[in-house]
Amino acid sequence: MTCRENGIGGAGRTLSTVVGMEMIRNFVGGAFADRDAAFGDVDPATGRTHAVVQVADEPLVDQAVAAARASGWGRVPVRERAAVLRRAADGIEARFEEFVAAEVADTGKPVRLARDLDVARAVHNFRTFADVVSAAGQESFLTDLADGRQALNYAVRKPLGVVAVIVPWNLPLLLLTWKVSAALACGNSVVVKPSEFTPGTATLLAEVLRDAGLPAGAYNVVHGHGDVGEFLVGHPGIDGVTFTGSTTTGTRVMRTVAPRVRPVSFELGGKNAAVVFDDVDLDEALTGLSRAIFTNTGQVCLCTERVYVQRSIFADVADGLVEHARALRLGDPNDEATTTGPLISQQHRRKVLDHLALAEESGAKAITGGGIPDMGEGLGEGSWIEPTLWTGLTNADRVVREEVFGPVAALIPFDTEDEAIALANDTDYGLAASVWTNDLRRGHRVAQAMDVGMSWVNTWFLRDLRSPFGGMGMSGIGREDGESSLHFYTEPTNVCVQL
Ligand code: NDP
């Protein structure tokens, strides 16, 4: 999306030409900063521009990094940091519906989903990391040497310093607060670059954190396209980068960061599998699988796009999932009855449509969906897509190997447990998997055999924020959540004292 495409702003135009629209501004050093260059923020449900986003330039990013370094937040005692995080959680709760509205306007996701998942999790993220950092201990070892001396070794954990936080558009507030709450808990200051498609909630959060008593400069937001993110992650004042986004952008970020040898945490793409055995409770599995495929219009990194089904129940699972897909209600995101919103943008819909065409060329049968729904007046210009299920594909087909990031899944039969494991692991990615069975031992066995960061049995997307989150292979580097976040966002200095 460029300024020119939207017909709004642009490097050469001033904001005074844009009238009657909400202005989303950069937040640097504890204050909002105006910039002339801007682009339009489009509501993907209607295709209409609903706000104007001011673009950060390089001097503003320099200022943000300098303000972060000068914030003094790393010297604030843990107890006070935790108190600020708890007040931030309260602050989001107090402005809950504002956050919901901003998230819905930017993403087109159903209001119920924004409430129950995105904004609720944002509150939970801040409370969790206040608890996690408050309870954190330090590693220590009493060392007995062969000559009879003793030494006490202990590791003091220090914040990295200034962390660049780059997040995507699919769960903008959830992912942002997940990283920011952990980074701040550990005493880091952050400079955040939200996706160009979803600038709203990151900006609202600036007000909440300021009002919660976070010192100026500890949380900064710079808006813009990928070039702003690239400048930020390559900035000499950045001490660590936490990135969630596509594998393609992740590899680029890695190249940018490499010359300065800074720690990176990467949560990247996935091509997640579900394995459904014939001993399963079918109704429960169908409900779970439907959530795993279609939540957020398939735009969750953890969503399932490959469903391997034991042959004896293949037809039942296919029919049942078609029924679930047809029961989804696409429509006005602000209607409480809507279950499914549009894709994030026309650009992303073109990518998903290319995959629908690719599936057809590979001989797939779309047993439901496969095209663009007729959304009628008001929503016709939105980036809507039909929830789609395919049969007739194999692991050799490109559409079964590449991440689509839409409400789609390929259903593929298998005969034996070993075959199912081999099929599920036959991918370059390794983010998540789910196993559906009533056989307890099989559930554990197969879940452990999955080469992924997260493996669920008879559920999906159930997270305890104390347990590690991340991916294998092309799905990422490192883990966050709980102890893993403490490790990523700090560096230890080991002190050895001879006793
Ligand atoms: P992108 O990789 O396109 O973008 C991610 C973020 O990086 C955006 O803020 C983007 O800004 C920014 N960016 C783009 N180019 C650069 C650059 N050169 N340097 C620094 N930053 C840059 O991902 P999407 O936003 O399209 O998100 C979808 C992807 O995210 C999917 O692949 C999905 O699987 C993955 N994802 C992974 C998760 C996980 O936990 N593993 C969770 C959620 C999503 P801009 O938008 O302005 O271009």
Side-chain angles (χ1 to χ4, degrees), residues 166-169 193 195-196 230 245-246 249 267-268 301 403:
I166 309 277
V167 280
W169 43 257
K193 210 299 277 178
S195 166
E196 67 199 57
E230 182 141 345
S246 64
T249 310
E267 313 292 351
L268 308 178
C301 53
E403 182 187 50

Side-chain angles (χ1 to χ4, degrees), residues 52 125 209 217 395 480:
V52 175
N125 284 337
L209 287 170
N395 272 18
E480 294 196 37

Side-chain angles (χ1 to χ4, degrees), residues 118-140:
D118 301 73
V119 184
R121 246 301 280 282
V123 174
H124 188 47
N125 284 337
F126 277 102
R127 293 206 173 120
T128 297
F129 283 103
D131 291 346
V132 167
V133 77
S134 301
Q138 278 165 354
E139 290 165 78
S140 66

